[in-house]
């Protein structure tokens, strides 16, 4: 008659060295941040801080904007939208501003404003528009439209209110598009209104 022998217990082999474990533990917070963070937040923190009243411009230096407070940063183009000339983000107030440049194709300012309004209407079924016009800063006769779109639908929109400054030169159209916050520290409107053509900004 055979008697059953108890199986000999053996500790599982150590699969990781202490060095590997320390690398994993050190990298765990970064992994968590990667899962929780967004592309915009990473771009924001990677960008250098700006000073209040500092002037920033796109690659061509055809225009410049004046930073209203220290919460704004210039992020990499394409972070928010494609085909932008410059992108700015204020993480504290949740606001953003982008500038787009396109050929004017001999269209009128009314035509560009109507195109933007049609695009807003395609996304918001109920909205209110307020528009003012003046000459763009840095020019004597370059027209500028300042339009504010406010969503009035039953569900709130994260992009309301939307501010759009449109500047039409003989060769190009500059559009400064922004989501402006409603908080007390909101400053996107100041940034949009600070748009100024540089010398030669009305040339091709």
């Amino acid at each position: 008659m055979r008697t059953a022998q108890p199986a000999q217990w053996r500790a599982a082999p150590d699969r990781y060295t202490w060095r590997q474990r320390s690398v994993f533990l050190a990298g765990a917070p970064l992994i968590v941040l990667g899962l929780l963070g967004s592309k915009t937040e990473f771009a924001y923190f990677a960008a250098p801080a700006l000073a209040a009243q500092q002037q920033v411009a796109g690659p061509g230096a055809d225009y410049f904007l004046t930073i209203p407070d220290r919460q704004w940063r210039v992020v990499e183009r394409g972070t928010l939208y494609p085909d932008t000339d410059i992108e700015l983000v204020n993480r504290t107030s949740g606001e953003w501003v982008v500038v787009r440049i396109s050929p004017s194709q001999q269209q009128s300012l009314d035509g560009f404003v109507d195109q933007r309004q049609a695009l807003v209407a395609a996304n918001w079924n109920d909205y209110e528009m307020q528009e003012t016009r003046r000459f763009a800063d840095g020019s004597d006769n370059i027209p500028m439209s300042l339009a504010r779109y406010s969503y009035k639908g039953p569900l709130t929109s994260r992009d309301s209110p939307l501010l759009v400054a449109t500047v039409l030169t003989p060769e190009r159209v500059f559009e400064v598009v922004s989501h402006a916050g409603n908080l007390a520290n909101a400053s996107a409107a100041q940034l949009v209104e600070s748009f100024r053509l540089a010398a030669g900004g009305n040339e091709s």
Side-chain angles (χ1 to χ4, degrees):
M1 179 177 178
R2 292 185 177 181
T3 57
Q5 297 294 327
Q8 186 176 5
W9 181 86
R10 292 182 180 179
D14 194 358
R15 295 183 179 181
Y16 302 102
T17 66
W18 282 109
R19 174 179 281 184
Q20 291 172 326
R21 289 179 180 178
S22 62
V23 170
F24 175 78
L25 293 175
L30 297 177
I31 296 172
V32 172
L33 286 176
L35 294 174
L36 297 178
S38 67
K39 177 183 178 182
T40 303
E41 289 182 340
F42 276 120
Y44 178 85
F45 287 114
L50 301 173
Q53 303 308 309
Q54 180 178 342
Q55 292 180 345
V56 297
D62 301 318
Y63 62 88
F64 57 84
L65 303 164
T66 302
I67 302 300
D69 56 61
R70 298 178 61 186
Q71 305 304 321
W72 288 93
R73 296 189 185 184
V74 177
V75 300
E76 184 178 354
R77 290 187 296 170
T79 299
L80 298 170
Y81 295 101
D83 304 325
T84 56
D85 196 64
I86 192 173
E87 299 187 1
L88 300 102
V89 173
N90 184 329
R91 185 177 179 273
T92 303
S93 62
E95 300 173 291
W96 52 260
V97 174
V98 301
V99 178
R100 286 177 168 160
I101 304 176
S102 58
S104 65
Q105 299 177 342
Q106 305 303 314
Q107 294 187 48
S108 66
L109 182 60
D110 287 338
F112 280 105
V113 173
D114 290 344
Q115 288 177 13
R116 177 60 63 185
Q117 186 173 4
L119 184 60
V120 172
N123 291 276
W124 294 349
N125 55 358
D126 188 10
Y127 68 94
E128 178 183 62
M129 174 190 176
Q130 297 175 331
E131 184 195 17
T132 59
R133 294 197 180 185
R134 60 177 171 83
F135 291 124
D137 291 339
S139 71
D140 295 328
N141 57 357
I142 303 296
M144 177 177 185
S145 165
L146 283 168
R148 179 186 179 94
Y149 301 90
S150 301
Y151 182 67
K152 299 296 182 182
L155 300 176
T156 58
S157 171
R158 68 180 183 88
D159 291 334
S160 177
L162 190 69
L163 304 179
V164 183
T166 307
V167 179
L168 181 65
T169 72
E171 300 296 334
R172 287 172 294 181
V173 57
F174 299 82
E175 276 195 305
V176 190
V177 184
S178 166
H179 161 54
N182 293 313
L183 302 175
N185 62 344
S187 57
Q190 299 175 46
L191 187 54
V192 172
E193 292 175 5
S194 74
F195 178 90
R196 182 182 180 89
L197 286 171
N202 58 344
E203 299 175 3
S204 60

